[in-house]
Amino acid sequence: MSNPTGNATDVFADALRRLDTAAEYSSIDPEALARLRVPRAILEVGIPVRMDDGSQQVFTGYRVRYDDTRGPAKGGIRYHPLVSASEVKALAMWMTLKTAVVGVPFGGGKGGVIVDPKSLSRLELERLSRGYMRQIARFVGPNLDVPAPDVYTNAMVMGWMFDEYSRMTGSREPAVITGKPIPLGGSLGREDATGRGAYYVIKEIERQRKWDPSKITVAVQGFGNAGQFVADFLFQDGYKIVAVSDSQGGIYRPQGFDIPSLRQVKNQSRQLEAVYFEGSVREFVDSEHITNEQLLELDVDILIPAALESQITLENAARIKAPILIEVANGPVESAADEVLRQNGILVVPDILANAGGVTVSYFEWVQNRTGDYWTERAVHDRLHEIMSREYQLIHARMEQHDTDMRTAAYGVALDRIGEAIAATGTQRYFNEDDG
Ligand code: GLU
């Protein structure tokens, strides 16, 4: 993965550094921590795909089962040209911490394929998705490792993979993958769950700080699934979304954008345009073009990186002006930048809490698939709200008690919970104890 300065970053090495620092603030046994420094298993696969012109291309994919002490491994599958083994390992480690933060009975995993999905036709995408599932099928399963969507994958991709897996096993197995289309056993409320979870976290901060949303400005980097939904929920509550961007660059407008209009164009034409829709009439609104780097440095109240990792580094950290940063992407801040942000008094709500809404509703989907009892959308929202608010408050209290930052507090909660599960299987302390 390359960051705005163009330097290649070893994401996994960076993730390990942060794990070690945070572990000092947790009661985790050193043996348990040692286990968390190494993934349980990594699978690398070659996926031959017949292209529309008759030629063959072979893609490389990965699936990492990072830890499954608290339950089956869980985590998305990413399609991106910059996917690497190091990146997938880091993402799988973060999933392990994330499922512990929200207290769902899963471990952590992740998958990825090195591909630019925008360059594939829909049929090629289907063949790639089915081909990837064929290669990882023996490595995943409802009680082993349960994939889901991530960057540039969606419900339809999950549907193809579920179908391929079921054909291979000869039985219908919806709980093998989450984020499926609703008619194939998906859960209501899964599609917007990551954005909604982040929104519930922001509502907690709003309550604590007694904000008037119409006075709060927000910049969102990344206008994919999570970025669009969090922007939309905030917009509906009157927040001013003054800047958004996608991989091509961003737009800035101090008076704020009409988010439903931006979403409509983006989802129809894949373009980010400063527009306002009145019925079917489209008007352009005044705005300024900005780069992704400029967006991060805007003087706004809330900054939401919702794209990729390693966006805020030692190089640009000191120029971040937003007092609140909500990590909707996984790993948008490098470990070296943590201290700078902290010294500047910036409240960073870490990814393993801020974007945990997605995996939480994935858990609901898995439960529904296994029981055959399907929930209403209201039930999904209520349970998600309860979990996000509870864990935010717990982590916030721990941050204040330990006089630390929110990331360290969240890692502390996660490591305590994982540590307890590992200790329940026995550590040196247990085995050396005298039975008396
Ligand atoms: N890809 C999402 C994440 O990073 C969701 C994972 C899941 O639902 O399993 O949290």
Side-chain angles (χ1 to χ4, degrees):
M1 181 55 45
S2 78
N3 54 40
T5 51
N7 298 325
T9 312
D10 183 342
V11 199
F12 185 58
D14 200 43
L16 282 178
R17 263 194 293 280
R18 200 176 251 158
L19 182 74
D20 291 336
T21 322
E24 291 168 24
Y25 294 84
S26 145
S27 59
I28 191 167
D29 186 276
E31 281 199 348
L33 181 66
R35 266 164 66 162
L36 282 182
R37 299 187 89 260
V38 186
R40 291 283 79 73
I42 304 179
L43 180 68
E44 178 174 337
V45 296
I47 315 151
V49 175
R50 187 62 57 201
M51 307 303 280
D52 291 346
D53 66 0
S55 68
Q56 172 191 271
Q57 261 190 49
V58 186
F59 296 91
T60 301
Y62 304 95
R63 184 73 198 173
V64 173
R65 190 184 316 139
Y66 200 88
D67 184 77
D68 53 5
T69 315
R70 297 182 59 263
K74 184 85 194 80
I77 296 165
R78 169 174 299 202
Y79 286 174
H80 197 277
L82 296 175
V83 161
S84 66
S86 163
E87 184 196 38
V88 181
K89 281 196 287 183
L91 289 162
M93 179 210 282
W94 294 330
M95 284 309 305
T96 309
L97 298 165
K98 196 186 299 187
T99 53
V101 158
V102 280
V104 296
F106 284 137
K110 202 83 177 195
V113 178
I114 306 174
V115 58
D116 174 10
K118 293 178 196 161
S119 70
L120 299 189
S121 74
R122 292 191 177 168
L123 280 166
E124 288 166 345
L125 200 63
E126 177 178 1
R127 283 179 224 127
L128 172 68
S129 304
R130 288 183 182 277
Y132 173 72
M133 179 45 99
R134 273 198 298 282
Q135 303 292 350
I136 67 161
R138 276 168 203 84
F139 199 73
V140 297
N143 291 314
L144 186 59
D145 178 4
V146 183
D150 196 71
V151 173
Y152 293 144
T153 56
N154 58 19
M156 186 166 280
V157 171
M158 300 304 113
W160 290 326
M161 291 187 182
F162 152 58
D163 184 57
E164 195 62 32
Y165 183 85
S166 298
R167 285 187 197 191
M168 289 178 72
T169 56
S171 77
R172 197 182 159 82
E173 299 280 6
V176 69
I177 200 161
T178 58
K180 297 178 293 296
I182 308 287
L184 297 182
S187 174
L188 295 172
R190 174 62 186 85
E191 204 198 352
D192 67 19
T194 306
R196 184 177 291 276
Y199 164 74
Y200 289 148
V201 161
I202 295 169
K203 294 304 272 185
E204 287 297 316
I205 306 176
E206 174 187 310
R207 201 174 47 79
Q208 286 174 336
R209 304 200 176 194
K210 303 189 173 54
W211 277 341
D212 168 0
S214 67
K215 299 209 167 63
I216 305 292
T217 55
V218 185
V220 183
Q221 186 204 37
F223 211 49
N225 174 291
Q228 286 193 24
F229 280 114
V230 70
D232 206 9
F233 292 136
L234 292 174
F235 172 81
Q236 304 300 340
D237 277 3
Y239 282 83
K240 251 201 269 179
I241 320 298
V242 297
V244 296
S245 67
D246 65 10
S247 59
Q248 305 302 308
I251 46 179
Y252 172 61
R253 183 172 201 256
Q255 309 91 304
F257 287 108
D258 181 74
I259 298 300
S261 298
L262 300 195
R263 292 187 62 202
Q264 198 175 326
V265 215
K266 173 74 186 171
N267 296 334
Q268 275 163 7
S269 64
R270 292 197 181 168
Q271 300 297 319
L272 193 55
E273 287 178 67
V275 290
Y276 177 69
F277 277 103
E278 184 82 65
S280 59
V281 182
R282 182 165 81 167
E283 272 177 43
F284 282 94
V285 296
D286 277 345
S287 76
E288 199 184 310
H289 281 277
I290 53 171
T291 62
N292 265 296
E293 293 76 52
Q294 286 170 324
L295 181 139
L296 297 173
E297 296 171 20
L298 287 174
D299 191 1
V300 289
D301 298 305
I302 306 179
L303 174 64
I304 306 186
L308 294 170
E309 55 270 17
S310 306
Q311 299 300 300
I312 296 163
T313 64
L314 199 52
E315 196 277 319
N316 62 358
R319 297 197 297 275
I320 303 297
K321 297 181 196 72
I324 294 181
L325 200 156
I326 312 284
E327 292 188 335
V328 168
N330 287 309
V333 176
E334 282 186 5
S335 68
D338 283 346
E339 193 47 35
V340 180
L341 299 178
R342 189 180 156 172
Q343 275 168 11
N344 290 346
I346 297 174
L347 174 73
V348 179
V349 182
D351 47 7
I352 58 171
L353 171 64
N355 72 27
V359 74
T360 304
V361 177
S362 275
Y363 165 62
F364 299 163
E365 181 173 332
W366 182 79
V367 168
Q368 293 171 74
N369 293 151
R370 290 162 68 100
T371 57
D373 176 22
Y374 284 80
W375 307 2
T376 61
E377 192 163 31
R378 176 100 325 262
V380 169
H381 291 172
D382 289 350
R383 285 196 67 178
L384 175 64
H385 196 170
E386 185 192 318
I387 292 176
M388 295 305 300
S389 301
R390 183 183 68 216
E391 299 305 332
Y392 174 85
Q393 285 166 21
L394 183 88
I395 289 167
H396 188 269
R398 183 165 172 141
M399 169 178 89
E400 300 211 312
Q401 258 164 27
H402 294 239
D403 190 24
T404 176
D405 55 282
M406 196 171 270
R407 189 189 313 282
T408 307
Y411 269 59
V413 168
L415 291 176
D416 284 359
R417 290 177 179 165
I418 302 165
E420 279 165 23
I422 296 178
T425 68
T427 57
Q428 187 180 22
R429 224 179 279 163
Y430 168 79
F431 288 110
N432 285 356
E433 236 170 47
D434 228 330
D435 284 338

